[in-house]
Amino acid sequence: MSNRTLYRLTPEILLRAYAAGIFPMAESAQSTELHWFDPPVRAIIPLDGFHTPRRLKRTIKRGPYKIKLDTSFTDVMRACAAVTDDRKTTWINQEIIGLYTALYRRGHAHSIEVWSGNDLVGGLYGVSYGGAFFGESMFSRNPDASKIALVYLVALLKRCGFTLLDTQFQTDHLAQFGTLEITRANYHHLLADALDKKAKLILPPDTDWDHLVAEFLQPVTQIS
């Protein structure tokens, strides 16, 4: 389903839309209109069934990057919106950047950032509401950077008590991590359950994130 927006969106309206299972996208970065989507088939990553490829686990253990939470949200969004050789167009326009930055300031949008020294080389962003996290977009300028951001996100979501990770659509990139496609009805059932949770995406000050991720990866022997 896709409907053009007929009024000025606010962060509050946007949150209510996510709670109803719909989300906005623009046709392009230059577009001045947004469209609502409620796909008949929705993609999710089961947090208890997340698959980390073996090679990626070895990369994470080497620790080539520094991972941070919520320190450069708008920079991550702009990087996700940037045109690259692999991505000639984008659905992220200026209105979306403004809306989600406003959600970030209210504590309902978050970014996982991957740093190499002082350079932002990868990351992802999304919306949190109750025990649901709605993944929006990711980018990578260095090998495996966006994949590592996803692993760190999942480890933190589990630590913080989230139950739903919505990826909206299935892609080849996401399929390697155990993404499932479910019906709209099943999605809305999982969403209603997640919205009853009181989870909050934060990294406690006394928590070593790298150690948390190492523990997350340890229990399961994975094959890629």
Side-chain angles (χ1 to χ4, degrees):
M1 180 184 73
S2 172
N3 291 317
R4 293 181 179 181
T5 54
L6 301 177
Y7 46 81
R8 183 71 177 176
L9 275 178
T10 66
E12 291 73 23
I13 292 173
L14 188 55
L15 270 184
R16 290 202 295 270
Y18 275 99
I22 60 178
F23 56 89
M25 298 177 72
E27 289 185 355
S28 70
Q30 292 73 40
S31 176
T32 58
E33 295 179 331
L34 301 182
H35 301 264
W36 290 116
F37 290 86
D38 182 13
V41 176
R42 198 71 163 247
I44 65 167
I45 296 181
L47 294 175
D48 289 330
F50 185 78
H51 171 75
T52 309
R54 181 186 294 174
R55 185 188 63 79
L56 184 61
K57 289 178 69 174
R58 291 197 296 266
T59 300
I60 291 172
K61 288 179 181 178
R62 290 202 308 270
Y65 305 120
K66 178 69 175 178
I67 316 302
K68 297 182 181 180
L69 173 70
D70 290 343
T71 66
S72 298
F73 180 84
T74 303
D75 289 337
V76 169
M77 283 204 73
R78 294 193 183 282
C80 289
V83 173
T84 67
D85 291 340
D86 297 326
R87 184 178 59 233
K88 302 299 184 182
T89 61
T90 177
W91 53 267
I92 302 172
N93 65 5
Q94 287 302 312
E95 184 175 5
I96 284 180
I97 291 175
L99 280 168
Y100 286 80
T101 299
L103 280 185
Y104 163 71
R105 292 173 181 148
R106 288 163 170 77
H108 282 291
H110 303 275
S111 61
I112 307 291
E113 304 128 17
V114 182
W115 296 85
S116 178
N118 294 322
D119 297 324
L120 181 64
V121 297
L124 59 80
Y125 78 95
V127 173
S128 67
Y129 198 15
F133 189 88
F134 310 90
E136 288 296 317
S137 189
M138 59 175 58
F139 81 98
S140 187
R141 293 171 179 155
N142 280 21
D144 294 327
S146 64
K147 297 176 184 178
I148 292 173
L150 180 60
V151 173
Y152 273 70
L153 170 68
V154 172
L156 189 57
L157 290 174
K158 287 179 64 69
R159 169 68 171 77
C160 295
F162 283 74
T163 60
L164 175 64
L165 173 52
D166 171 16
T167 66
Q168 299 176 348
F169 303 107
Q170 175 73 288
T171 67
D172 292 340
H173 179 73
L174 291 173
Q176 64 187 302
F177 298 104
T179 311
L180 297 177
E181 291 186 314
I182 61 175
T183 65
R184 179 189 289 146
N186 284 341
Y187 173 77
H188 281 271
H189 175 76
L190 293 174
L191 176 61
D193 181 67
L195 292 176
D196 281 339
K197 312 298 181 186
K198 296 187 181 298
K200 189 174 182 181
L201 194 68
I202 58 172
L203 187 65
D206 59 345
T207 300
D208 183 291
W209 201 351
D210 291 330
H211 181 68
L212 184 153
V213 170
E215 287 188 336
F216 168 69
L217 294 175
Q218 185 64 36
V220 180
T221 300
Q222 310 223 30
I223 300 175
S224 176

